[in-house]
Amino acid sequence: LKSLFKNSNHPLSKSIYEKLEVKDPYYPIEDYQEISGKGYSATVRGQKYMIGSAKFVGETAQNMETAVYIKKNDEFLGKFVFKNEYRQHMDHMFTELKDYDLYVLSGDNASEEGILRAMIPHITGIQFNQSPEDKLNFIKNLQDQGKKVMMLGDGLNDAGALKQSDIGIAVSDDTNSFTPSSDVIMNGEMLYHLKDYFSLTKDAIKIVKLMFIISFLYNIVGLSYAVSGNMSPLFAAIIMPISSITVVAFTTVTTWMASRKYFKM
């Protein structure tokens, strides 16, 4: 089982992998197939395993339960049941985002609806039992209404929605592991700084515009001297790389200073 869980990047599989205390060598995996949002199957030592949702392995799920079901050949072995834990400071983060339309799209059942609504009293909408296609279509529907959509997600289940959104943020607790294609990869421990990240990006846009102005003025002055014949080729060869170095250095310093306002390092 640990050999199988090692091959999956789904958050639940990764959690089970960390919990299984097995010191034996890992077994080779054959015929590995993963169906996004449902589960995966593979053959280990001639035995076929199916791991995923109850429907995927052919079992009946209990209401209000988040679980990973396991079947070996045609024999149901059991399931791992999960209790949700929320990151620290989430209520504070949602309070800071009260000026935005907030939606929660979850592939799990509605067992956590009461907790989520209490944590996000100004939530705009909440949907449960959402497949990857449901999430993608939900975002497309918002975009068809002329809205700009930012999506936060993790795992392959959210890959399509992250790509469809105007801004996709993949949240990962291990930035060295596989993360879906997205505009931003955010460490999960920094998630509650999301509002600060918004402010930092606005500062970054101002810095970019300022750099364009400085670069433009640099070239106007240099071009004026060159047209008037007062600039030697040697001086031009020296001043051009210096101008590039100046812009890069100024950008680096100002961006670092801007980040210090929000993130104490």
Side-chain angles (χ1 to χ4, degrees), residues 100-103 117 120-126 147:
Y100 296 86
D101 291 336
L102 301 178
Y103 299 88
R117 290 192 179 278
I120 323 170
H122 53 283
I123 192 170
T124 307
I126 185 169
K147 297 181 179 180

Side-chain angles (χ1 to χ4, degrees), residues 17 47 60 63 80-81 125 168 198 212 244:
Y17 174 81
Q47 308 295 321
T60 301
N63 292 331
F80 289 92
V81 180
F198 290 169
F212 269 113
S244 299

Side-chain angles (χ1 to χ4, degrees), residues 26-256:
Y26 293 113
Y27 296 115
I29 304 296
E30 298 177 347
D31 302 324
Y32 183 88
Q33 295 181 337
E34 183 165 1
I35 301 177
S36 181
K38 297 181 180 179
Y40 52 94
S41 62
T43 300
V44 181
R45 298 195 299 169
Q47 308 295 321
K48 183 177 180 180
Y49 291 83
M50 299 181 69
I51 298 177
S53 65
K55 184 177 181 180
F56 179 73
V57 303
E59 296 293 321
T60 301
Q62 295 185 15
N63 292 331
M64 303 303 180
E65 179 182 78
T66 299
V68 174
Y69 290 74
I70 303 172
K71 177 173 282 189
K72 176 183 177 182
N73 297 324
D74 294 326
E75 178 188 0
F76 176 59
L77 298 183
K79 61 186 177 180
F80 289 92
V81 180
F82 288 80
K83 302 297 182 181
N84 290 321
E85 290 185 6
Y86 294 91
R87 300 179 187 274
Q88 293 183 346
H89 312 300
M90 284 295 97
D91 50 349
H92 175 69
M93 184 193 78
F94 287 121
T95 299
E96 290 188 324
L97 298 176
K98 63 181 183 300
D99 295 329
Y100 296 86
D101 291 336
L102 301 178
Y103 299 88
V104 172
L105 305 178
S106 174
D108 294 333
N109 54 59
S111 59
E112 298 290 309
E113 182 172 4
I115 296 175
L116 288 170
R117 290 192 179 278
M119 186 184 300
I120 323 170
H122 53 283
I123 192 170
T124 307
I126 185 169
Q127 301 284 343
F128 294 98
N129 300 307
Q130 297 291 289
S131 68
E133 293 78 13
D134 292 333
K135 295 178 182 180
L136 188 150
N137 291 331
F138 187 92
I139 291 175
K140 287 179 65 176
N141 182 54
L142 291 177
Q143 291 172 328
D144 290 341
Q145 299 174 29
K147 297 181 179 180
K148 297 292 184 180
V149 181
M150 185 192 73
M151 166 75 181
L152 291 95
D154 61 359
L156 288 173
N157 292 355
D158 299 323
L162 287 168
K163 186 175 181 180
Q164 176 64 38
S165 60
D166 297 285
I167 303 173
I169 298 182
V171 180
S172 175
D173 290 308
D174 181 6
T175 54
N176 293 319
S177 65
F178 168 80
T179 52
S181 175
S182 56
D183 301 294
V184 179
I185 298 176
M186 178 175 287
N187 189 312
E189 295 180 356
M190 302 298 289
L191 182 59
Y192 69 95
H193 284 297
L194 189 60
K195 186 63 166 59
D196 292 330
Y197 179 74
F198 290 169
S199 301
L200 178 60
T201 56
K202 292 178 181 178
D203 288 346
I205 293 296
K206 295 177 182 177
I207 292 172
V208 170
K209 292 178 179 179
L210 180 60
M211 290 305 101
F212 269 113
I213 294 173
I214 292 176
S215 180
F216 182 75
L217 293 175
Y218 223 125
N219 283 277
I220 287 294
V221 173
L223 186 61
S224 299
Y225 274 98
V227 171
S228 64
N230 294 321
M231 181 182 295
S232 68
L234 178 60
F235 183 76
I238 295 174
I239 200 67
M240 282 306 295
I242 290 178
S243 68
S244 299
I245 293 172
T246 302
V247 170
V248 171
F250 191 80
T251 302
T252 302
V253 172
T254 52
T255 302
W256 177 80

